[in-house]
Amino acid sequence: PKNQPYLTYRMAHDISVWLTSLYRKEETKLYKIHFLGGEPLMAIDKVCFLIDRVNMFKPEFTKGHPDGKYVLFTNGDFATPNVLKRLKKRDVRIMLNPTTAPLEEVEQKINKIKEHMGGCSLSIVLDECNIERIEDLTKLAIKYHCHMRINRLYAGGRDPEYIQKYKEEMHKVFDLLLESEWVMWPNFIMESTYPTWDKKSNCHAC
């Protein structure tokens, strides 16, 4: 609600009731829940409470999506070892947003998340900072086998200079991924690009 900017236990309970009732009504077979921000790790207790309620009350025929039933977007600032262990216990997948953090700090966060979670994906918004360093972020993704979700700025679609820069930089991204010798799928959804690679199969349902 607009008058309640922070997640509360009451809200988490109401969301879980709405979701599980919807799954039952629509006979939902597969589900995936995204936790966005702000910063969801600032409400880690409520996030875990919501997940536990969904797991407890969802219909038996409703299963989590194979590429992740819970996906949490975070800048990683509050991703302590204890928090990451709680998320791993609940099979949450992490999408790390590098924001404007220095590359060394982004690399440290990737390492910490992978150490405790087993994997880490990157969610990159090509703002003024990250469009200039998308090559370096792609090299980090290749180094640590992080799948990437790359968003261009929605307003950038009306700026010819931005579009040209976007195309030039994305060509470099795809060249780097192809040179990494992993099978690679560029999936385009609305304003997002998912350049993903895997030795066996594409990890994304799209």
Side-chain angles (χ1 to χ4, degrees):
K2 291 182 179 180
N3 62 347
Q4 175 54 270
Y6 299 106
L7 182 66
T8 64
Y9 282 109
R10 179 75 252 178
M11 289 167 60
H13 171 268
D14 291 346
I15 292 168
S16 70
V17 170
W18 173 71
L19 285 172
T20 53
S21 299
L22 186 66
Y23 296 159
R24 196 173 303 279
K25 177 182 177 182
E26 301 295 335
E27 298 183 356
T28 303
K29 299 296 188 294
L30 292 174
Y31 75 96
K32 177 187 284 191
I33 297 174
H34 286 192
F35 293 90
L36 306 172
E39 175 50 58
L41 294 188
M42 292 181 69
I44 183 62
D45 292 337
K46 285 87 170 181
V47 167
C48 290
F49 173 80
L50 195 159
I51 291 173
D52 292 343
R53 298 286 295 183
V54 171
N55 287 338
M56 188 181 304
F57 294 109
K58 69 178 180 61
E60 190 172 330
F61 56 77
T62 302
K63 308 296 182 184
H65 199 283
D67 91 3
K69 55 186 176 181
Y70 301 109
V71 180
L72 187 143
F73 291 74
T74 177
N75 60 24
D77 288 351
F78 297 91
T80 64
N82 180 58
V83 165
L84 294 174
K85 289 175 183 176
R86 294 175 69 183
L87 295 175
K88 181 176 176 58
K89 178 182 177 182
R90 292 166 173 83
D91 196 24
V92 176
R93 308 291 176 89
I94 294 290
M95 295 288 292
L96 177 65
N97 181 352
T99 62
T100 59
L103 288 171
E104 297 80 6
E105 184 178 324
V106 176
E107 186 168 12
Q108 290 171 3
K109 290 177 178 179
I110 292 172
N111 267 316
K112 180 169 60 173
I113 292 169
K114 286 180 68 72
E115 177 185 353
H116 294 283
M117 304 285 291
C120 176
S121 297
L122 296 182
S123 177
I124 304 167
V125 177
L126 292 181
D127 54 19
E128 184 177 342
C129 172
N130 287 322
I131 199 168
E132 295 293 341
R133 61 176 188 168
I134 188 60
E135 280 187 272
D136 292 326
L137 290 169
T138 301
K139 290 174 183 177
L140 276 182
I142 291 170
K143 180 179 179 179
Y144 293 101
H145 293 172
C146 300
H147 295 288
M148 292 189 297
R149 161 179 160 160
I150 301 175
N151 284 76
R152 74 173 172 86
L153 293 178
Y154 297 129
R158 297 188 295 272
D159 182 348
E161 291 186 11
Y162 179 88
I163 291 296
Q164 183 60 33
K165 178 71 171 177
Y166 170 82
K167 290 179 178 179
E168 291 172 358
E169 297 305 319
M170 289 308 299
H171 275 294
K172 297 174 185 177
V173 167
F174 292 135
D175 285 343
L176 285 169
L177 294 178
L178 290 169
E179 290 168 8
S180 71
E181 298 184 353
W182 284 72
V183 181
M184 190 267 290
W185 292 262
N187 297 321
F188 299 90
I189 306 178
M190 294 172 47
E191 298 292 334
S192 297
T193 304
Y194 295 74
T196 68
W197 64 103
D198 195 314
K199 288 293 187 183
K200 296 180 180 179
S201 63
N202 187 354
C203 73
H204 288 291
C206 54

